[in-house]
Amino acid sequence: MTEPRRTGLTLCVGTVGAALAWAVNMPMGFLLGPALMVAFASLRGMKTDIAPPLRNVIFVLVGITVGSMVTPTSIDAMLRWPIAFTMLAVLTIATPYIGRWVLTRTMGFGRDEAFLSAAPGHLSLVVSLSDSLGIPIARPAILASFRVLTLSLFVPIAARFSGIELGPGLPVGRATAPWLMIGAELLVALALTPLLIRLRLPAPLLLAAMIAAAGFHLTGTVDGSLPPWISQVVLVVMGCLIGTRFSGVTLRDLRHNMAATFVVVLLTASLAAAVAIPTALLSGLPMLDMLVGFAPGGLETMIIVGVAMGADPSFIAATHVGRLVLLAILITAYASRIARSAVR
C-alpha cells in the first residue's frame, strides 16, 4: 500500500474514532478517540501511518495554537522556574535507574534493556541506540508507546473526575487572528526552524511555531488564534499520529509485555507525581502545571492536553523539552559506556 493511501486510511479510521468519542462525551475525544481507534487498528494488523509532510504541517499548526495562549503571566512565573527545573533534572536522571532496578528484579529484563525501557521519553533515540548496541528494541518501543497512549488517556479523564471541565477538543471562544498575521507567524516559524534543528532540539517545527506565535502575542502584534475548526482537525490528526506508534506491533506482542507495560507506566507516573507535588509547594507554581509538566508523556500530546486543561503552555513546553534534552545526554552517555565496555 502506498504512503498516501496508508495516510488516508489512517485518517478515516481516526475520524471514526473521533466521532465515537464525541458521541460518548469523552474528554479530549477529538484527540483520544482517534488515538485509541488507530492504535487498535494497528494492533489488528492494519498498516497505519501519517505522511511526514502532513505531520510537519500539523506540528506547525499545534505550535501556533499553543503559542497564541502564552500570556504575560507566563513571563512572571518564569522567575520561579529554577526550583522546578532542578527537581525535574533529579526526576529525569533517577527514573531510568529506578526502572532498571525494578524491571530486572520483577520482569526478568536485562540491565541495559531495562534502563532504556524505563527512560521517560525520547523513543526514537532509545530505539536507534538499542539497535546499534545489539539490545532488543521490541520491548523498549512497546513500553514507550503504551506509556504515551495510557497517559494521554488517563490525564484528561483524571482531570474531569477532579472537576476540570474538558470538552471534546481545545477550548473555543477566542478571537480568530487575521489570515495575514497567521501567515506572518508561519513565515517566522519556518525561518526559526533551521536554527532549532542546528541546536538539535526535539520537535523543532512545533517549537519554532510556538515561539513565533508567543512572540507575536506577547508584543501585542496579534490578538487571536487559528480558526476553531482548524484547531479541532489538528487534534484529530495528532490522535491518529499517537495511534500509529503501534504500527507493526501485534496483539500477541502486547499481551506478552502487558505486565511490564503496566509496571513502567505506574512507576514513571508515580515518580513524576511524587516529585511534582512537593515541587509545586516549594516553588509556588500551580499544581496542575507541575503534574502535566512532569508527566512522562509525549511532548506534543502533553502540551495539547495541558492547554486544554488550562495549564501554562510555556511552562509545559519548557519542562518537556528540558526533559528530552537531558534524556538525550543521559541515554547517549549510558550507551557510550556500554560501547566502551564491549570494546574492552
Side-chain angles (χ1 to χ4, degrees):
M1 186 185 298
T2 62
E3 185 176 71
R5 289 187 62 188
R6 284 199 304 271
T7 298
L9 186 57
T10 301
L11 293 175
C12 289
V13 172
T15 301
V16 172
L20 292 174
W22 175 77
V24 300
N25 195 29
M26 177 184 288
M28 293 296 292
F30 292 158
L31 178 75
L32 302 183
L36 291 171
M37 186 66 75
V38 173
F40 179 75
S42 300
L43 290 169
R44 296 293 298 176
M46 189 178 111
K47 300 296 183 182
T48 58
D49 190 23
I50 297 295
L54 177 58
R55 189 181 310 170
N56 291 337
V57 169
I58 293 302
F59 284 162
V60 170
L61 295 178
V62 168
I64 289 177
T65 300
V66 173
S68 68
M69 298 181 183
V70 176
T71 65
T73 306
S74 305
I75 306 301
D76 296 335
M78 288 181 185
L79 297 175
R80 291 172 285 171
W81 283 14
I83 295 176
F85 277 85
T86 300
M87 299 298 288
L88 178 66
V90 173
L91 171 68
T92 302
I93 294 171
T95 298
Y97 286 99
I98 295 173
R100 184 180 70 177
W101 187 86
V102 172
L103 290 174
T104 54
R105 282 160 177 76
T106 61
M107 295 289 130
F109 276 55
R111 284 169 54 84
D112 300 330
E113 184 185 23
F115 182 91
L116 296 173
S117 295
H122 242 316
L123 175 60
S124 58
L125 180 62
V126 167
V127 170
S128 61
L129 289 177
S130 299
D131 186 54
S132 65
L133 295 170
I135 299 171
I137 64 175
R139 289 205 281 192
I142 292 172
L143 267 60
S145 300
F146 192 82
R147 186 190 70 246
V148 170
L149 181 63
T150 302
L151 287 173
S152 302
L153 180 65
F154 174 77
V155 172
I157 292 176
R160 175 169 286 184
F161 278 113
S162 65
I164 300 174
E165 187 55 41
L166 287 178
L170 290 173
V172 297
R174 300 185 65 220
T176 298
W179 282 106
L180 181 63
M181 299 313 299
I182 292 175
E185 290 175 337
L186 289 171
L187 290 175
V188 173
L190 293 176
L192 279 174
T193 299
L195 174 61
L196 300 189
I197 292 174
R198 287 177 64 87
L199 294 174
R200 298 188 178 183
L201 290 179
L205 275 169
L206 183 148
L207 294 179
M210 184 176 172
I211 292 170
F216 274 92
H217 282 77
L218 288 174
T219 58
T221 308
V222 178
D223 182 23
S225 186
L226 296 174
W229 68 268
I230 293 182
S231 298
Q232 310 310 345
V233 170
V234 165
L235 274 190
V236 174
V237 182
M238 277 296 301
C240 294
L241 189 57
I242 294 172
T244 60
R245 283 174 172 262
F246 289 89
S247 184
V249 178
T250 66
L251 284 171
R252 182 171 176 272
D253 294 331
L254 191 60
R255 282 196 299 268
H256 284 178
N257 293 282
M258 187 60 70
T261 57
F262 278 116
V263 168
V264 167
V265 170
L266 183 61
L267 175 68
T268 55
S270 299
L271 287 173
V275 175
I277 292 171
T279 301
L281 299 176
L282 286 171
S283 65
L285 290 166
M287 184 70 70
L288 176 62
D289 290 9
M290 285 296 160
L291 290 172
V292 179
F294 282 30
L299 167 67
E300 303 88 356
T301 308
M302 287 298 102
I303 290 176
I304 290 174
V305 171
V307 166
M309 294 168 63
D312 180 356
S314 60
F315 178 78
I316 304 302
T319 51
H320 282 275
V321 170
R323 188 185 78 237
L324 291 178
V325 170
L326 184 56
L327 268 176
I329 298 170
L330 177 66
I331 294 171
T332 302
Y334 186 88
S336 299
R337 185 177 63 79
I338 295 174
R340 286 195 302 269
S341 299
V343 170
R344 285 198 298 267

